[in-house]
Amino acid sequence: MALPLIMVAPNGARLQKTDHPALPVTQEELVTCAKACFAEGATAIHAHIRDDENLHLLDAKIYHDLVQALHESVPEMAVQITTESGGRYAPKHQMEVALAASADMVSASIRELCRVRQDEVRGFLEECKDRGITLQHILYDTDDCALFETVLGADTLRDPDLQLLFVLGRYGRNPAQPEDLGKFLDWMARCNITPDWAVCAFGEHEVECLLNAAKNGGKCRTGFENSFHLSDGTIAEDNAAKVADLKALILDAPVNAA
């Protein structure tokens, strides 16, 4: 399953409704958000779930229920779940949730998974492949790129189905800039690889960063997880407004992304 040109990431692990009243946190809110974002051009959703105290949660049963609800309500929209630790979960639990949540798409950070032995990480990746689970590997910096090379090797790097997510900027600090993509482009060129890749970018320059990714052949992940801002600097009313804003700009610009 290839990455879409636009995937929406509507909530993330840390934000609350006090940060933005339209932040979706419940299953019902996520389904409603998915419908609105699909109508504006997002053909996949990257979903986080919360516990009863509205904290980041990794729970296979709750994920399963959300995935089924999304498939029923927006059947043409792909669903990706996160395995982000959020400072709460160990790699074993992250792997178990990924395998048991019934999601066809999963994102995972190589630096988080590698808190266990490398053979365990490779075994998890092989099991995902055997079960038809598409993994998107999250890379935060060039150290992650080097780790990815070391742990997974040349064969995985050249897998035609390899999916990567390059993260620009960070939560609440170091806002992303378009030029931050350069180090990842250089890494792919040095390794002579052509994966299916996307970018997410934190901060008010998110849209500029995503357009730069699209112009260089990448895909885009946008939404409240990364920024509340539209391309004109104003605050978006909701996630659907962010998707519509980005899609309009991509359609107006010459891009290499499929």
Side-chain angles (χ1 to χ4, degrees):
M1 184 180 297
L3 288 171
L5 179 56
I6 300 176
M7 177 184 291
V8 66
N11 54 1
R14 296 165 175 79
L15 297 171
Q16 305 291 329
K17 285 188 178 294
T18 51
D19 295 300
H20 195 298
L23 185 85
V25 291
T26 67
Q27 177 175 301
E28 181 180 3
E29 289 171 342
L30 281 166
V31 169
T32 298
C33 175
K35 289 180 180 178
C37 291
F38 181 77
E40 296 294 349
T43 54
I45 182 172
H46 169 80
H48 289 250
I49 54 176
R50 307 295 177 86
D51 64 15
D52 291 339
E53 297 180 351
N54 207 26
L55 298 175
H56 174 60
L57 177 66
L58 293 184
D59 182 282
K61 173 62 169 61
I62 294 175
Y63 260 138
H64 173 83
D65 292 345
L66 173 62
V67 170
Q68 296 309 306
L70 287 166
H71 284 330
E72 290 171 8
S73 299
V74 202
E76 294 178 281
M77 191 177 214
V79 180
Q80 182 189 76
I81 66 167
T82 184
T83 60
E84 181 178 345
S85 72
R88 305 188 74 188
Y89 298 102
K92 182 178 179 181
H93 183 80
Q94 292 171 278
M95 295 176 190
E96 289 172 350
V97 168
L99 295 170
S102 75
D104 294 328
M105 301 176 73
V106 174
S107 68
S109 162
I110 191 67
R111 70 166 63 171
E112 290 185 352
L113 293 181
C114 283
R115 292 177 292 168
V116 297
R117 297 194 318 269
Q118 292 182 7
D119 63 308
E120 293 182 69
V121 177
R122 295 189 190 100
F124 165 67
L125 300 185
E126 283 299 319
E127 188 163 1
C128 284
K129 191 170 186 178
D130 290 344
R131 296 191 187 194
I133 298 171
T134 302
L135 270 179
Q136 184 180 28
H137 300 275
I138 303 170
L139 303 175
Y140 290 93
D141 53 32
T142 51
D143 287 343
D144 281 1
C145 295
L147 180 62
F148 192 79
E149 287 185 70
T150 300
V151 174
L152 301 181
D155 289 344
T156 298
L157 283 172
R158 288 169 176 75
D159 186 335
D161 297 321
L162 177 64
Q163 292 187 1
L164 304 176
L165 177 74
F166 301 132
V167 181
L168 311 185
R170 293 292 183 272
Y171 285 111
R173 65 184 193 278
N174 299 329
Q177 301 291 337
E179 57 267 26
D180 295 342
L181 179 61
K183 59 182 176 289
F184 295 113
L185 296 177
D186 291 345
W187 173 68
M188 288 190 289
R190 179 179 63 77
C191 293
N192 192 29
I193 59 173
T194 56
D196 192 6
W197 62 275
V199 160
C200 72
F202 289 92
E204 62 187 49
H205 301 294
E206 177 204 23
V207 176
E208 297 171 58
C209 295
L210 297 180
L211 289 175
N212 187 42
K215 290 174 183 176
N216 281 280
K219 314 292 182 61
C220 305
R221 198 176 91 181
T222 187
F224 280 0
E225 176 170 356
N226 299 106
S227 173
F228 299 130
H229 290 84
L230 296 173
S231 58
D232 64 3
T234 61
I235 300 298
E237 178 181 357
D238 54 23
N239 278 283
K242 286 186 62 63
V243 172
D245 181 50
L246 177 63
K247 184 178 180 182
L249 291 168
I250 287 177
L251 290 176
D252 285 344
V255 299
N256 297 318

